[in-house]
Amino acid sequence: MTTTLRPVEPLQRNADGTLSRRYRVCVNSRPVGAIHLGTSPAFGDSVARINDLRIEEPDRRRGRGTVAALAAEEVARGWGCREIEIGVPAAAEAALRLVGALGYVLRNRGMVKRLGETPPELPAGSRARPMTRAEFDAWLEQESESYIRTWIERGVPEAEARAKSARDHETLLSQGLASENMQFSILEHEGTRVGVLWLALRDGSPFVYDVETDEAHRGRGHGRTLMLLAEIQAHALGKHTLGLNVFAGNTPAERLYESLGYETTQYAYYKPLL
């Protein structure tokens, strides 16, 4: 039996600039599923993305999804892509096994915490205050370079990492410190600055974009305090969930979030196309 992809539409150029095309997954010309392949909104036409892959129930567990994913890689190579990525819900065990078997590498994961009815309190001696404009300017320069390094360390060429950083920060922070739905805080402990928090409303839900303990004060529990501050701010917005992203390999952060009750909801994987 031969598994193939058959286009059901012309190659599309979408409003956000990405390419995409939908295919039927066929076995000896018999439709058994569908796949939606596109390029990455974050990295452009050099990175492909499997937006959706579905095999009908009667044909599951027969390797159809594996062959379809491999065929999608060939299509992506034909588009000139150097890499392919896919997002997988944490509960999709079969899909997680599939991407592992195909050699995809975990890049990052999304986590969410359901908050209690009562906001926590900061530890004694700790207080938060708004970030000043001078502090914002210095923080933004440092945070942007850190963001670029994070992507470079995960296989993204430097030029693309810098372009992504510039694009993301321009989108989110078009008005700088006064950008809508953004909150920037300084954490102090006994009068000394110890860290920063960037909390935002993303699609109407609180999201931690950056949490950073100043280097001289690490290892003293201030990271946990910053996350408690994020919960307090989420409660003040009348919200009862709090989300964040953590990159693979950031073990201290992963352990902290898990200890605070965050649960993984989505995994992001990538694979170089050699």
Side-chain angles (χ1 to χ4, degrees), residues 24 45 51 61 172 181 185 202 223:
R24 288 193 184 93
D45 291 351
N51 295 316
R61 294 171 290 278
L172 293 170
N181 294 324
S185 305
R202 191 172 79 167

Side-chain angles (χ1 to χ4, degrees), residues 14 16 30 44 53 63 115 143 154 193 214 221 243 245:
N14 303 308
D16 62 359
R30 177 175 61 86
L53 171 57
L115 306 179
E143 193 275 339
R154 286 156 181 83
R193 167 183 159 150
D214 293 345
N245 171 76

